[in-house]
Amino acid sequence: MSDKEYVATIKQICELLQSDPTPDVIQGLRDSFANLSIHLKSGPFLEVFETTISNIPFAALFSLLAAPDNKLIVSVAEVTDQLLNPVTWSMVHQTFEEYIIQGLAHPHPTFSAQYGPHIWKCLEGKSDTNATKLAKRVLIHLFNVGMATDHLFAKESLEVVNAILSGSESQRFRVYDVIAISAGKSDDIFVFLCQKGIIDTFVKEGDSDDILAVMNWHELLPILCASAAAYTYLDSLGIFSRLLQQLDLSDTEATIATDSLARVSALKLFSRMVDAPGIKPTEFFVKYDIAPVLGKFISPEGSEAELKSTAISCLGTIGNNTAALEHLAAEKTALDALVETYSRSIGQLRVECLQTIACIFGHAPQPTSTSSQACYELYSRLAQGKFLVSVTQEIMKGFEESCIAGFAVIQKMALHAWGVREIASYKTVVNFLLTRDSSRAKIAQQWQFSAVQAIAESKDAKGVFESDDYSRLHRYVKEGPYYISTTPQVALKSS
């Protein structure tokens, strides 16, 4: 066919698109799109492609989703499919997301099935790009659109997904990112993905010899467990039991699969499970009691530095949940280890202990009586009962991290009646808190202000502070975090 023929066909389509949709016009569009499809196949493709997209906007093609003729829909779908192949996904999505959603939800299978493969293919490639990130966001969005899920896993789409899952680790985990987030939002989507075999493929990643794949798998498990159905299924496979057993191995028993990196990653997994909406923290940590493992790693005689540091941080994450904290207090092992390690720690390790203690004390804006009592018992045992003095001494060292961690502990103590009472009972600590030091970093001054503000705003403050101290607290808050008092200057005249 000559160049003039494809130009004439495109011109005819443009004219018909501007006409009323009479039976003759529908017939003309049907024939013209069928001819255009032939032109695109026979070529020269780039010339036909450029002429087509220069004259027929994608919006016009997508608008034909509502055409009252199935054969026309099929012809338009074939042309659209050919035009989408060389066009980047980001270009299409940026302007036409609403039409893509319509296409995926369209009742005609020819139209609805063609978009899924194009979107999934955007996840291919060795590295993350703006296009892959955009495609992931779009896929996650489309999982929430009614009938779109079925079409995202139609035969053609599933072939593309399986091809990606047989590729590199980075490609596979782009798909798994989409799957974990989407399935975590809906039990129905999780069940659907189970039926497609995608979840079982994901589960097998945990047995990989590739440590990076295993660590990425650990990252996604808590996200997937936002769905109760997902947690129930994964639990039935014994995944969490096996991970806990691996963590509990002695250092001499540890194998490549449970080396330091994998154990650090698994510890973080258990700590992040506390916030997974699909589980009940108390039941989970009773069944999978991580406290003795944390205690082993945290204790002064425990493991190497990275494991110890991770275990301390994970204890803070878990202890920041009220139900989990109550379990830790009853179990005692991990908190006992924290008390002992704090008393023997210096430098960065002490800062990490303070950060975890702040997380535990700050587990809730309004602690329960049980959880607040657990915090008080921990406080009473730290630094041989002189913890507040110890915290003040850490702040006075002047290091930014020590200042921030120390002030954070005091701020979180102010959430508890016992905490406000303890602070008020140390006159030297109160004076220290109300003494400004402009040589401190601004972030440290902000944390000092936050600590004083929390104390001043506590409903228990007025009843335990001396009236003068109570007034000073509120004056400090009124002056703000960076107030500098001005000393009157007296002019001296020389004689």
PDB file of all heavy atoms in Angstrom, residues 217-229:
ATOM      1  N   TRP A 217      12.692 -10.203  50.987  1.00  0.00           N
ATOM      2  CA  TRP A 217      11.527 -11.017  51.345  1.00  0.00           C
ATOM      3  C   TRP A 217      11.101 -10.704  52.782  1.00  0.00           C
ATOM      4  O   TRP A 217       9.910 -10.524  53.065  1.00  0.00           O
ATOM      5  CB  TRP A 217      11.907 -12.486  51.191  1.00  0.00           C
ATOM      6  CG  TRP A 217      10.828 -13.479  51.447  1.00  0.00           C
ATOM      7  CD1 TRP A 217       9.717 -13.707  50.693  1.00  0.00           C
ATOM      8  CD2 TRP A 217      10.777 -14.419  52.537  1.00  0.00           C
ATOM      9  NE1 TRP A 217       8.975 -14.738  51.242  1.00  0.00           N
ATOM     10  CE2 TRP A 217       9.605 -15.178  52.373  1.00  0.00           C
ATOM     11  CE3 TRP A 217      11.606 -14.684  53.620  1.00  0.00           C
ATOM     12  CZ2 TRP A 217       9.245 -16.193  53.261  1.00  0.00           C
ATOM     13  CZ3 TRP A 217      11.248 -15.690  54.496  1.00  0.00           C
ATOM     14  CH2 TRP A 217      10.081 -16.430  54.319  1.00  0.00           C
ATOM     15  N   HIS A 218      12.077 -10.605  53.677  1.00  0.00           N
ATOM     16  CA  HIS A 218      11.778 -10.234  55.064  1.00  0.00           C
ATOM     17  C   HIS A 218      11.071  -8.874  55.125  1.00  0.00           C
ATOM     18  O   HIS A 218      10.148  -8.685  55.920  1.00  0.00           O
ATOM     19  CB  HIS A 218      13.069 -10.153  55.883  1.00  0.00           C
ATOM     20  CG  HIS A 218      13.697 -11.486  56.164  1.00  0.00           C
ATOM     21  ND1 HIS A 218      14.999 -11.620  56.593  1.00  0.00           N
ATOM     22  CD2 HIS A 218      13.200 -12.749  56.097  1.00  0.00           C
ATOM     23  CE1 HIS A 218      15.276 -12.903  56.778  1.00  0.00           C
ATOM     24  NE2 HIS A 218      14.196 -13.604  56.476  1.00  0.00           N
ATOM     25  N   GLU A 219      11.525  -7.935  54.299  1.00  0.00           N
ATOM     26  CA  GLU A 219      10.940  -6.592  54.291  1.00  0.00           C
ATOM     27  C   GLU A 219       9.457  -6.622  53.934  1.00  0.00           C
ATOM     28  O   GLU A 219       8.657  -5.857  54.460  1.00  0.00           O
ATOM     29  CB  GLU A 219      11.680  -5.712  53.269  1.00  0.00           C
ATOM     30  CG  GLU A 219      12.995  -5.148  53.756  1.00  0.00           C
ATOM     31  CD  GLU A 219      12.795  -3.977  54.700  1.00  0.00           C
ATOM     32  OE1 GLU A 219      11.912  -3.145  54.453  1.00  0.00           O
ATOM     33  OE2 GLU A 219      13.532  -3.912  55.699  1.00  0.00           O
ATOM     34  N   LEU A 220       9.089  -7.520  53.018  1.00  0.00           N
ATOM     35  CA  LEU A 220       7.721  -7.519  52.486  1.00  0.00           C
ATOM     36  C   LEU A 220       6.735  -8.334  53.322  1.00  0.00           C
ATOM     37  O   LEU A 220       5.520  -8.108  53.232  1.00  0.00           O
ATOM     38  CB  LEU A 220       7.724  -8.043  51.045  1.00  0.00           C
ATOM     39  CG  LEU A 220       8.394  -7.136  50.009  1.00  0.00           C
ATOM     40  CD1 LEU A 220       8.357  -7.783  48.627  1.00  0.00           C
ATOM     41  CD2 LEU A 220       7.716  -5.779  49.958  1.00  0.00           C
ATOM     42  N   LEU A 221       7.225  -9.263  54.119  1.00  0.00           N
ATOM     43  CA  LEU A 221       6.290 -10.097  54.902  1.00  0.00           C
ATOM     44  C   LEU A 221       5.372  -9.281  55.811  1.00  0.00           C
ATOM     45  O   LEU A 221       4.153  -9.500  55.814  1.00  0.00           O
ATOM     46  CB  LEU A 221       7.066 -11.132  55.723  1.00  0.00           C
ATOM     47  CG  LEU A 221       7.577 -12.362  54.963  1.00  0.00           C
ATOM     48  CD1 LEU A 221       8.434 -13.225  55.879  1.00  0.00           C
ATOM     49  CD2 LEU A 221       6.424 -13.184  54.399  1.00  0.00           C
ATOM     50  N   PRO A 222       5.879  -8.327  56.604  1.00  0.00           N
ATOM     51  CA  PRO A 222       4.964  -7.546  57.445  1.00  0.00           C
ATOM     52  C   PRO A 222       3.973  -6.720  56.630  1.00  0.00           C
ATOM     53  O   PRO A 222       2.834  -6.496  57.063  1.00  0.00           O
ATOM     54  CB  PRO A 222       5.909  -6.634  58.245  1.00  0.00           C
ATOM     55  CG  PRO A 222       7.223  -7.334  58.236  1.00  0.00           C
ATOM     56  CD  PRO A 222       7.293  -7.973  56.883  1.00  0.00           C
ATOM     57  N   ILE A 223       4.395  -6.249  55.457  1.00  0.00           N
ATOM     58  CA  ILE A 223       3.487  -5.480  54.598  1.00  0.00           C
ATOM     59  C   ILE A 223       2.352  -6.378  54.120  1.00  0.00           C
ATOM     60  O   ILE A 223       1.176  -5.997  54.138  1.00  0.00           O
ATOM     61  CB  ILE A 223       4.254  -4.892  53.397  1.00  0.00           C
ATOM     62  CG1 ILE A 223       5.300  -3.896  53.890  1.00  0.00           C
ATOM     63  CG2 ILE A 223       3.293  -4.226  52.408  1.00  0.00           C
ATOM     64  CD1 ILE A 223       6.225  -3.387  52.809  1.00  0.00           C
ATOM     65  N   LEU A 224       2.697  -7.582  53.706  1.00  0.00           N
ATOM     66  CA  LEU A 224       1.680  -8.537  53.258  1.00  0.00           C
ATOM     67  C   LEU A 224       0.736  -8.897  54.399  1.00  0.00           C
ATOM     68  O   LEU A 224      -0.468  -9.093  54.192  1.00  0.00           O
ATOM     69  CB  LEU A 224       2.380  -9.787  52.718  1.00  0.00           C
ATOM     70  CG  LEU A 224       1.517 -10.869  52.067  1.00  0.00           C
ATOM     71  CD1 LEU A 224       0.729 -10.295  50.888  1.00  0.00           C
ATOM     72  CD2 LEU A 224       2.383 -12.027  51.596  1.00  0.00           C
ATOM     73  N   CYS A 225       1.266  -8.952  55.615  1.00  0.00           N
ATOM     74  CA  CYS A 225       0.456  -9.339  56.774  1.00  0.00           C
ATOM     75  C   CYS A 225      -0.474  -8.233  57.266  1.00  0.00           C
ATOM     76  O   CYS A 225      -1.083  -8.359  58.323  1.00  0.00           O
ATOM     77  CB  CYS A 225       1.346  -9.827  57.913  1.00  0.00           C
ATOM     78  SG  CYS A 225       2.045 -11.462  57.598  1.00  0.00           S
ATOM     79  N   ALA A 226      -0.582  -7.160  56.496  1.00  0.00           N
ATOM     80  CA  ALA A 226      -1.662  -6.211  56.764  1.00  0.00           C
ATOM     81  C   ALA A 226      -3.002  -6.888  56.542  1.00  0.00           C
ATOM     82  O   ALA A 226      -4.026  -6.484  57.084  1.00  0.00           O
ATOM     83  CB  ALA A 226      -1.539  -4.990  55.857  1.00  0.00           C
ATOM     84  N   SER A 227      -2.996  -7.952  55.736  1.00  0.00           N
ATOM     85  CA  SER A 227      -4.190  -8.771  55.523  1.00  0.00           C
ATOM     86  C   SER A 227      -4.206  -9.921  56.522  1.00  0.00           C
ATOM     87  O   SER A 227      -3.226 -10.667  56.642  1.00  0.00           O
ATOM     88  CB  SER A 227      -4.188  -9.331  54.087  1.00  0.00           C
ATOM     89  OG  SER A 227      -5.013 -10.464  53.976  1.00  0.00           O
ATOM     90  N   ALA A 228      -5.316 -10.078  57.233  1.00  0.00           N
ATOM     91  CA  ALA A 228      -5.438 -11.184  58.190  1.00  0.00           C
ATOM     92  C   ALA A 228      -5.371 -12.523  57.469  1.00  0.00           C
ATOM     93  O   ALA A 228      -4.797 -13.492  57.985  1.00  0.00           O
ATOM     94  CB  ALA A 228      -6.749 -11.062  58.973  1.00  0.00           C
ATOM     95  N   ALA A 229      -5.952 -12.581  56.264  1.00  0.00           N
ATOM     96  CA  ALA A 229      -5.919 -13.821  55.487  1.00  0.00           C
ATOM     97  C   ALA A 229      -4.485 -14.179  55.119  1.00  0.00           C
ATOM     98  O   ALA A 229      -4.097 -15.356  55.136  1.00  0.00           O
ATOM     99  CB  ALA A 229      -6.780 -13.677  54.230  1.00  0.00           C
TER     100      ALA A 229
END
